[in-house]
Amino acid sequence: MYRNNYRGALQQPIGSGFNASSTAADVIEGIDLTGKIAIVTGGNTGIGLETTITLAKAGATVIVPARDVEKAKRNLEGVPHIEIETMDLMDQKSIDSFAEKFLASGRPLHLLINNAGIMWVPLRRDSRGIESQLSTNYLAQFQLTARLWNALKMAQGARVVNVSSGGHQFSDFNFEDFNFEKRDYDTLVGYGQSKTAVNLFSLELDNRAQSFGIRAYSLCPGAVAETELGREAPIDLLQKLGYTDAEGNILPEVVASLKTIPQGAATTVWCATSPMLKHTGGVYCENVDVAAMVTDVAIIGGIKPYSLDETNAKRLWKLTEELTGIEFKTN
């Protein structure tokens, strides 16, 4: 009997045995991925790079699509079982070309890890006129998953892991003005909305996909040091949020709270490989466990109920098909 996570029916910790200090190496210990094929977007920097290395060392063949192929080659030099391909998540045609090339190989896809994302950016729009964080962080995930659907089904037991964020609490999905055409642009609201969309997509995808043996998850990697996510963050905003001093230096207490990159990749790797999740999907995870549902918006952590709303998940799926021009039928 299939179970879904609408309204948080499955959204509670399961006692994974890991915690916020666990690393990707801890999580993968004893797991053999020989013969498995994975795709990791953003897999050549930050937690994506750590995820790629961890999966490859466990025996998986990992395909890393990258906008800057030469940079990816440098960062992944010496890592076994790696294939690097070209893809730009802001370009629909580029996503389609990547997916078509993979499908033409005739291989199954066991793990699709939609890791790449952007944050703290000024207002930009893609070629369709869609705000860049929504386009990159969510619409690209939906398109790539839809295009690779047949390869996922072929695996007869695939997982789709969508990297979200605790930042989803910055905003519910605004169906009335998701593209910031009627309201002033706020980069954190845009980011939060895009990550709420990731959670709703993962929720609905799992409900539609589990009959094919495919499970979907969203997750928060935590606040991680030394990634490229904050490269465009305005200093005044970081100061306003209490992250830096007046000179732009990160406060010592903030530094102490950050995860290392191996710790930041741990929840992704756990969602992708843990046997504990074999019969559970559609859940949002953090600190290497299923997260708790937290109704108080003042509390940081957990998942907010609006990210698990059945009506909004279905409504967003339909809207996304319209925005992307893709009819994603899971049959």
Side-chain angles (χ1 to χ4, degrees):
M1 181 177 177
Y2 300 126
R3 300 186 300 163
N4 60 57
N5 192 34
Y6 294 142
R7 298 171 294 281
L10 308 174
Q11 196 65 51
Q12 56 186 358
I14 60 175
S16 69
F18 299 107
N19 55 47
S21 298
S22 300
T23 66
D26 296 332
V27 168
I28 203 71
E29 187 175 353
I31 294 176
D32 182 5
L33 298 179
T34 302
K36 304 295 185 183
I37 299 172
I39 291 174
V40 182
T41 67
N44 70 98
T45 61
I47 63 172
L49 175 59
E50 185 72 17
T51 300
T52 296
I53 292 171
T54 301
L55 298 178
K57 285 184 175 179
T61 296
V62 186
I63 296 100
V64 179
R67 186 173 53 188
D68 187 339
V69 169
E70 292 307 313
K71 177 182 177 181
K73 288 179 179 177
R74 291 193 300 271
N75 291 351
L76 290 162
E77 186 177 0
V79 181
H81 316 305
I82 298 296
E83 299 175 16
I84 299 172
E85 299 289 350
T86 301
M87 186 175 74
D88 182 348
L89 291 174
M90 283 275 282
D91 183 343
Q92 280 189 295
K93 291 182 180 178
S94 177
I95 296 172
D96 282 349
S97 295
F98 167 78
E100 286 166 7
K101 184 174 182 179
F102 181 81
L103 292 175
S105 74
R107 294 180 291 178
L109 178 59
H110 301 89
L111 301 173
L112 172 57
I113 299 178
N114 288 308
N115 163 81
I118 57 174
M119 185 182 185
W120 308 106
V121 297
L123 178 60
R124 295 193 185 105
R125 300 188 185 276
D126 67 11
S127 60
R128 299 165 293 190
I130 297 173
E131 188 271 325
S132 65
Q133 292 185 99
L134 184 64
S135 176
T136 303
N137 296 348
Y138 167 59
L139 295 182
Q141 285 190 2
F142 183 96
Q143 180 180 348
L144 184 60
T145 306
R147 295 308 194 203
L148 292 170
W149 182 244
N150 286 337
L152 288 164
K153 287 196 296 184
M154 194 187 306
Q156 297 183 329
R159 293 189 185 184
V160 179
V161 179
N162 298 321
V163 176
S164 180
S165 169
H168 76 272
Q169 74 176 48
F170 294 145
S171 178
D172 194 351
F173 190 86
N174 188 322
F175 285 95
E176 281 62 51
D177 189 27
F178 58 85
N179 206 29
F180 293 91
E181 294 169 348
K182 304 171 186 175
R183 54 183 170 152
D184 292 337
Y185 184 66
D186 182 316
T187 187
L188 286 182
V189 171
Y191 180 75
Q193 174 180 251
S194 73
K195 294 303 186 176
T196 291
V198 169
N199 297 338
L200 291 170
F201 170 51
S202 306
L203 176 72
E204 184 63 20
L205 177 64
D206 187 78
N207 182 59
R208 296 178 182 224
Q210 58 185 284
S211 62
F212 300 100
I214 301 168
R215 306 312 302 254
Y217 309 88
S218 61
L219 68 101
C220 171
V224 182
E226 300 178 356
T227 74
E228 296 184 1
L229 193 60
R231 59 184 176 269
E232 291 193 82
I235 292 176
D236 59 339
L237 179 56
L238 294 176
Q239 185 180 350
K240 182 179 177 182
L241 291 169
Y243 296 159
T244 66
D245 61 20
E247 283 73 46
N249 301 306
I250 299 179
L251 299 174
E253 59 268 30
V254 174
V255 173
S257 71
L258 297 177
K259 289 185 177 185
T260 65
I261 286 177
Q263 290 170 339
T267 305
T268 301
V269 173
W270 184 72
C271 287
T273 64
S274 175
M276 295 185 75
L277 293 172
K278 186 175 182 180
H279 301 294
T280 302
V283 292
Y284 172 90
C285 301
E286 65 181 1
N287 296 329
V288 203
D289 204 339
V290 178
M293 190 159 65
V294 179
T295 57
D296 188 345
V297 295
I299 296 176
I300 297 173
I303 185 168
K304 301 305 181 261
Y306 56 70
S307 265
L308 299 175
D309 183 88
E310 178 180 1
T311 300
N312 283 351
K314 295 182 185 303
R315 183 181 180 188
L316 179 64
W317 190 285
K318 185 174 185 299
L319 173 64
T320 308
E321 289 183 324
E322 295 169 359
L323 293 174
T324 60
I326 297 169
E327 189 175 8
F328 187 177
K329 287 189 173 182
T330 51
N331 53 31

